[in-house]
Amino acid sequence: ADGAPGSPLATAGAMRAAGLLLAWALLRAAASQQCHPSSPGGVLRFTDRHAEIRVPALHRVPSSLDPLYGLVRRCLDLIQQNPLPTELLRTALNDPGSVRTSQVVQYELGYVVCAAVALLFTVAVPVAGMCFCYCRSRRRCGGRLRAHRRSLGCRRRCLLACLSFTSLVILISVTCAFVTSQRVKGQMEPGLGAVPSTLRTLRQHLANVPQGVQMVVDKFEVPRKQIISDLGGKGGAGQHPELAPGTDEALTVPRCLAGLSRSVGLSIHAQLKAMTYAALADLQDRAGDLQTSLHHLQILHRTARALAAARAELEPALRERRRRVVALLDDPRCTSCASVLGRAQGLELGADYGKVPSVEKVLKALAGLPRSDFAEMIRQGNGTFNSIPELAVERMAQVIQDLRGDLARTADKVQSIADGFPLPDYTRPVSEALVKAEDRSQPYLREAERFERYRWIAGTVLCSIILLILACNGTGMALGAYGLSKREDPSDYECRGEAGAKFLLVGVGLAFLFSWLLTLLVFATFLVGGNIQTLVCRNWVNQEIYKFIDTPGNLPPSMNLTRQLNLRRDSNLSSAYRECKSGAGLWEVLQLDSSYDLDEHLKTPKYTADFQKRLGDFTANLGDVRLLRSEGRQDLETFARSGVDEVDYGRFQEEMKNPVVQSSLPGLARNLEGLQKMQRNSTVAGRLAAEARALWHMQNSTVQSQEALVAKLGESVQFLSRLAPHLQERVKRTLATTASVEARLPVQAQQILRQELGCFTRKELRYFSQYLNWVGQTLREDVASCQPLATALDNGRVILCDRIADPWNAFWFSLGCCTFFLIPNIIFAVRLSKHFRPIRNRLISTGSEETCPFHIPRVTALKL
């Protein structure tokens, strides 16, 4: 170390002082710092085991037939423009015998008109068919063309195009009819099956409410296990190595694995270690200064005395050696010796260490020091400080056990939520209503399934007949066109053309034969599907049905849903549906607020008061660490008063600037060796060589050893001169720092303890809050939610209206288009069949059709 300003020792001392100040500042800031960030496990995860009893929501699935569905709905809106018949339905429900037929006809006027059209079509088409058959049997229609004209080709192509167009329209319509019929069949069975399954699911949802509440309460095990883990983690009993003072390494036990007590101890250790280690390091430096100073003072005392004694021994020998060398150089026989004479005359002693200050007084003051073992003292202080985590585990063992007992009592309090939940008494009427609805719906569902099976069979058969008619049309047009192309003379007989004409007439016959069945099927499905769409679906979408049910007097007393479902007196089906759809709890819909305040039962302080109070009242002394005992303090005070800083080290440095001998003995010896070579007198040369050897011997044996002592003396003087100016200040600072740290450690440890317990309390209260919030949300939106009831109603509308009624109506609409276009198909087929037969240009035909295959009696000649 060096005591001069800017020296390494001064810089190190300043840095250590700055470190102590920084440690103190950090310690002050730690008292008000934020809690440690929550670990990734700070958010509790609760398994939702109640999704199994939910009613899955159904939605309208986009389809390529949506434009057709929209067209059918617009047509039905034109046919039935009347709103929901409120008066008629009220009369029918309360007094069915008083319903007048005129009221029904007036409301169903659009369907009555359609029924009249269907009846007319059902009668007119078969009658027209019979007339055509009679006419054909009399050979009055369906025969040959009378004469060839130029316009026949244009007329024939026009008829071909018209018949092809009507056939194409019928083909598209029958394809849509096939697709929609199959879609109705595919949706009817799962749709009808969804009714009892949905009712059973709703009953299961209501029946499982108590079990669901109990399962929710049992989930308190999740925060309880987490809190118990936080109270005593696996790392709570781990050991850690002692740390040397001044190190910055953390204890080997991670705080995330430690329990509460270990975590508190680690936090106290982590926040106080910078200040404590800095004080211990400063104390270790002062102990080192004491030991090193004593060592250098002893060296200084012994070396100065040794140098003084060596000087006294060297002085006569050096005087004698100077006399002999000077005499030799003055000899006239010595050639060129005058130049070295001056150096020889300068052989005199230099530094006199008998004049330097004595340090005996200082050594007497420091005699017997150090009386205490500073190394052992520092080791014990460091070990005591590093044992704070284990001390915290020991001191907090009882409070940890008490907190676990509080958690067990809290679990009993949470159980009271399930014990006092009154929902089963209110859900029983709803369950009974669902059972009645399920029982009453079974016969209607079976009838609907049987009617659908008959409809599908009839629709498939009639659609197949329409495809047969289209096949006859296509075959007839193909054969007829091919026969025309092969006929050279219009009057020539051609069997393929004749066959084509007969295929067309077969299709006409099938159309006349089955058109009335098509009309009956179209009207029957139209009457059912149209009324479902206009009377039920349309009013279900705009919630007119709910308004009708909610209006007092519309339903008979036996169907009072508000009383049967135990709804609030100021509530109705519409408001209950809206509340359920928004996720309201059953207690809001079923008048539970007045009998059971769920929010009051879920207040966090109700379950955490004992836990929070026990942590708030806990105190423990964890920072009682002794860094410097009284004998060590006395040693440092004696060291500061010893006078080490009062010695005049400048006198030593001034003497050390003087050489041991004024003239350099090695230089003079080399000069004499050079003169030896120049001498002609052998005697003088021999004497010069002898003197040179004597000087070398004096240098190597005496002067060099004194120079080594001077160098050793210089190291001690340099250390002591650097230490002396700062000795008093450093010792005072060390004593003040250790005393301050010893006084502050218990106070700061207590503050950190309160801070850590506060952070732990807030963390565990967040677990309680998470659990209670989850309980409230689950009881409202899952276990005790009435949203499944609203979802079931919406699913019923989706199944009936979107998945069954839409393809059902599209089926009769497509089949109706086929039936309608059969009329122009018959006309065009009959007209076109004449063009495929030979043209008669003579008045009386000699030909006979009896020999032609596919014979159908007809008129073969016309008498003009």
Side-chain angles (χ1 to χ4, degrees):
D2 191 341
S7 63
L9 183 60
T11 303
M15 292 179 64
R16 194 171 303 283
L20 286 171
L21 291 176
L22 179 60
W24 172 245
L26 292 176
L27 187 62
R28 296 285 293 178
S32 59
Q33 68 178 359
Q34 297 296 325
C35 295
H36 302 287
S38 298
S39 63
V43 178
L44 299 179
R45 302 295 181 186
F46 302 97
T47 304
D48 185 3
R49 301 181 59 184
H50 313 292
E52 301 172 356
I53 58 176
R54 288 179 177 172
V55 178
L58 302 179
H59 302 283
R60 179 184 179 90
V61 180
S63 171
S64 58
L65 295 176
D66 285 345
L68 177 60
Y69 298 160
L71 176 62
V72 175
R73 284 195 294 270
R74 287 192 290 272
C75 291
L76 289 174
D77 289 340
L78 291 175
I79 293 172
Q80 177 57 281
Q81 300 181 11
N82 297 321
L84 183 69
T86 305
E87 296 295 332
L88 180 61
L89 290 176
R90 180 188 297 113
T91 303
L93 292 174
N94 291 276
D95 188 10
S98 63
V99 177
R100 296 193 302 272
T101 306
S102 59
Q103 291 178 305
V104 179
V105 171
Q106 182 180 359
Y107 177 75
E108 298 280 347
L109 183 60
Y111 293 98
V112 172
V113 173
C114 293
V117 174
L119 179 63
L120 178 63
F121 193 91
T122 303
V123 174
V125 174
V127 169
M130 288 187 291
C131 293
F132 178 77
C133 291
Y134 175 78
C135 182
R136 185 77 179 88
S137 65
R138 304 294 297 177
R139 297 186 178 183
R140 293 292 181 181
C141 58
R144 305 178 181 179
L145 293 175
R146 294 182 299 174
H148 178 74
R149 297 184 180 87
R150 293 181 179 179
S151 62
L152 286 180
C154 180
R155 186 181 303 174
R156 182 170 56 247
R157 287 190 295 271
C158 181
L159 290 173
L160 274 172
C162 291
L163 184 58
S164 299
F165 174 74
T166 55
S167 299
L168 179 62
V169 172
I170 293 174
L171 178 62
I172 294 174
S173 299
V174 76
T175 302
C176 292
F178 263 121
V179 173
T180 52
S181 177
Q182 194 63 32
R183 185 162 296 184
V184 172
K185 182 177 183 298
Q187 292 292 339
M188 184 66 74
E189 183 176 355
L192 295 178
V195 175
S197 65
T198 300
L199 295 176
R200 284 193 297 270
T201 302
L202 291 176
R203 286 194 294 109
Q204 181 186 3
H205 172 71
L206 296 177
N208 282 330
V209 167
Q211 293 87 342
V213 174
Q214 185 60 46
M215 283 191 293
V216 170
V217 169
D218 291 342
K219 285 297 177 180
F220 180 69
E221 190 68 13
V222 175
R224 192 185 72 84
K225 287 183 177 179
Q226 181 63 48
I227 295 172
I228 288 178
S229 175
D230 292 344
L231 285 174
K234 296 180 180 180
Q239 299 296 325
H240 62 84
E242 292 184 356
L243 301 179
T247 59
D248 293 328
E249 296 179 2
L251 295 180
T252 58
V253 180
R255 293 191 58 187
C256 60
L257 298 179
L260 172 61
S261 55
R262 168 69 65 172
S263 177
V264 169
L266 290 175
S267 181
I268 294 174
H269 184 277
Q271 296 186 43
L272 298 180
K273 68 179 181 179
M275 177 181 68
T276 305
Y277 288 164
L280 288 173
D282 197 48
L283 180 61
Q284 190 174 36
D285 288 345
R286 299 293 79 75
D289 289 344
L290 173 58
Q291 294 280 3
T292 308
S293 298
L294 184 60
H295 172 69
H296 283 292
L297 285 170
Q298 292 172 349
I299 291 176
L300 192 66
H301 178 65
R302 291 195 302 267
T303 305
R305 293 182 62 182
L307 285 173
R311 186 179 189 280
E313 293 177 3
L314 180 60
E315 183 177 7
L318 182 62
R319 188 184 309 115
E320 176 62 24
R321 185 59 52 200
R322 181 184 61 186
R323 184 188 63 76
R324 295 182 60 141
V325 172
V326 170
L328 178 59
L329 293 177
D330 279 339
D331 192 339
R333 294 174 297 174
C334 186
T335 306
S336 303
C337 293
S339 59
V340 186
L341 183 60
R343 174 171 290 187
Q345 292 174 348
L347 285 177
E348 295 179 356
L349 291 176
D352 185 2
Y353 289 95
K355 301 178 181 180
V356 296
S358 175
V359 293
E360 283 189 54
K361 181 180 178 181
V362 178
L363 287 174
K364 288 180 181 180
L366 296 176
L369 294 184
R371 287 183 291 272
S372 59
D373 189 350
F374 281 94
E376 178 63 19
M377 191 187 310
I378 293 172
R379 190 189 66 79
Q380 290 180 359
N382 185 54
T384 304
F385 177 73
N386 287 338
S387 65
I388 286 179
E390 284 78 11
L391 182 63
V393 172
E394 178 184 348
R395 298 283 176 84
M396 297 184 68
Q398 184 59 45
V399 73
I400 296 298
Q401 189 65 27
D402 294 340
L403 289 173
R404 291 179 178 175
D406 291 339
L407 283 177
R409 288 186 290 274
T410 302
D412 297 336
K413 294 180 182 178
V414 173
Q415 181 60 38
S416 65
I417 298 177
D419 297 339
F421 209 66
L423 194 59
D425 297 336
Y426 291 83
T427 57
R428 191 176 301 110
V430 182
S431 298
E432 294 173 356
L434 292 174
V435 172
K436 291 180 181 179
E438 184 178 354
D439 294 339
R440 293 177 180 177
S441 65
Q442 292 294 339
Y444 297 104
L445 295 176
R446 286 192 293 269
E447 288 297 321
E449 186 176 1
R450 185 169 61 88
F451 179 76
E452 164 57 21
R453 183 166 58 252
Y454 294 153
R455 181 210 63 81
W456 182 81
I457 294 174
T460 302
V461 171
L462 291 178
C463 288
S464 300
I465 293 174
I466 293 174
L467 288 178
L468 183 60
I469 294 173
L470 293 177
C472 292
N473 285 351
T475 305
M477 286 188 290
L479 291 174
Y482 183 70
L484 287 177
S485 65
K486 295 298 183 180
R487 191 166 58 186
E488 296 180 357
D489 188 348
S491 61
D492 291 343
Y493 176 81
E494 213 288 317
C495 64
R496 284 165 292 199
E498 186 68 23
K502 291 180 179 180
F503 268 112
L504 290 178
L505 291 181
V506 169
V508 170
L510 292 173
F512 280 129
L513 185 62
F514 293 100
S515 60
W516 66 278
L517 291 176
L518 285 169
T519 304
L520 290 179
L521 180 61
V522 169
F523 180 73
T525 53
F526 159 72
L527 189 62
V528 175
N531 276 292
I532 289 176
Q533 172 62 36
T534 57
L535 186 62
V536 179
C537 295
R538 186 171 64 188
N539 295 293
W540 199 340
V541 171
N542 57 26
Q543 298 189 4
E544 288 293 329
I545 291 181
Y546 297 144
K547 296 178 182 178
F548 174 80
I549 296 175
D550 293 336
T551 302
N554 284 347
L555 297 179
S558 61
M559 300 176 63
N560 191 332
L561 295 180
T562 301
R563 186 175 65 254
Q564 290 184 2
L565 299 179
N566 200 18
L567 300 178
R568 297 192 306 264
R569 294 184 181 86
D570 59 345
S571 180
N572 51 44
L573 185 61
S574 298
S575 61
Y577 168 76
R578 287 192 298 269
E579 291 175 0
C580 292
K581 192 174 181 64
S582 63
L586 284 175
W587 58 86
E588 297 181 14
V589 180
L590 302 180
Q591 303 178 348
L592 290 180
D593 291 337
S594 58
S595 61
Y596 191 83
D597 190 350
L598 183 60
D599 292 333
E600 181 65 27
H601 285 77
L602 296 179
K603 288 184 177 180
T604 304
K606 182 177 180 180
Y607 305 96
T608 61
D610 295 340
F611 187 91
Q612 194 171 359
K613 184 177 185 300
R614 194 175 301 278
L615 283 173
D617 294 343
F618 177 77
T619 57
N621 186 9
L622 302 176
D624 190 8
V625 178
R626 292 296 304 273
L627 303 181
L628 182 62
R629 292 193 293 270
S630 58
E631 58 269 22
R633 182 177 297 274
Q634 292 175 3
D635 285 349
L636 292 181
E637 291 175 349
T638 302
F639 177 46
R641 296 193 304 266
S642 64
V644 174
D645 55 334
E646 298 175 359
V647 177
D648 188 1
Y649 299 103
R651 293 283 301 276
F652 286 92
Q653 293 172 348
E654 290 177 3
E655 287 298 328
M656 285 188 298
K657 293 178 182 179
N658 299 323
V660 176
V661 179
Q662 293 292 344
S663 294
S664 174
L665 293 181
L668 181 57
R670 282 190 290 271
N671 290 336
L672 294 179
E673 290 173 351
L675 291 176
Q676 175 195 355
K677 298 176 182 179
M678 299 170 59
Q679 302 303 315
R680 292 187 294 272
N681 189 320
S682 58
T683 302
V684 174
R687 291 177 60 192
L688 288 172
E691 291 300 328
R693 285 193 299 272
L695 289 174
W696 280 113
H697 180 268
M698 183 179 290
Q699 172 67 28
N700 294 331
S701 62
T702 304
V703 176
Q704 194 170 4
S705 61
Q706 293 187 36
E707 290 176 349
L709 291 175
V710 171
K712 184 177 181 180
L713 179 67
E715 293 177 0
S716 298
V717 169
Q718 184 179 16
F719 172 80
L720 293 171
S721 62
R722 290 177 179 176
L723 174 67
H726 310 283
L727 177 61
Q728 297 285 346
E729 177 187 353
R730 290 179 181 175
V731 172
K732 290 180 180 178
R733 185 181 67 240
T734 299
L735 295 176
T737 300
T738 53
S740 176
V741 170
E742 287 177 350
R744 289 201 303 263
L745 274 177
V747 177
Q748 297 298 331
Q750 188 64 28
Q751 291 179 358
I752 296 172
L753 171 66
R754 301 309 320 150
Q755 173 194 329
E756 288 295 317
L757 291 180
C759 291
F760 178 82
T761 303
R762 288 190 289 273
K763 177 183 177 183
E764 307 313 314
L765 291 183
R766 283 197 297 270
Y767 290 143
F768 280 105
S769 299
Q770 288 181 47
Y771 169 71
L772 294 175
N773 291 335
W774 175 79
V775 169
Q777 180 181 0
T778 305
L779 291 180
R780 288 185 174 95
E781 300 179 4
D782 192 356
V783 174
S785 172
C786 72
Q787 192 169 23
L789 301 175
T791 303
L793 290 176
D794 292 339
N795 290 349
R797 179 187 56 78
V798 171
I799 293 173
L800 178 63
C801 300
D802 296 339
R803 299 190 176 184
I804 295 179
D806 279 349
W808 176 290
N809 290 326
F811 165 73
W812 65 252
F813 185 83
S814 301
L815 202 60
C817 289
C818 296
T819 306
F820 177 78
F821 277 94
L822 281 178
I823 297 176
N825 179 81
I826 294 172
I827 297 172
F828 294 139
V830 171
R831 296 291 300 274
L832 184 60
S833 65
K834 295 181 179 182
H835 290 268
F836 295 155
R837 292 191 174 96
I839 298 175
R840 178 60 179 165
N841 290 324
R842 296 181 296 273
L843 295 177
I844 298 174
S845 172
T846 58
S848 175
E849 295 179 355
E850 299 301 328
T851 59
C852 183
F854 309 107
H855 174 70
I856 297 178
R858 67 184 188 280
V859 178
T860 58
L862 295 177
K863 295 181 180 180
L864 300 178

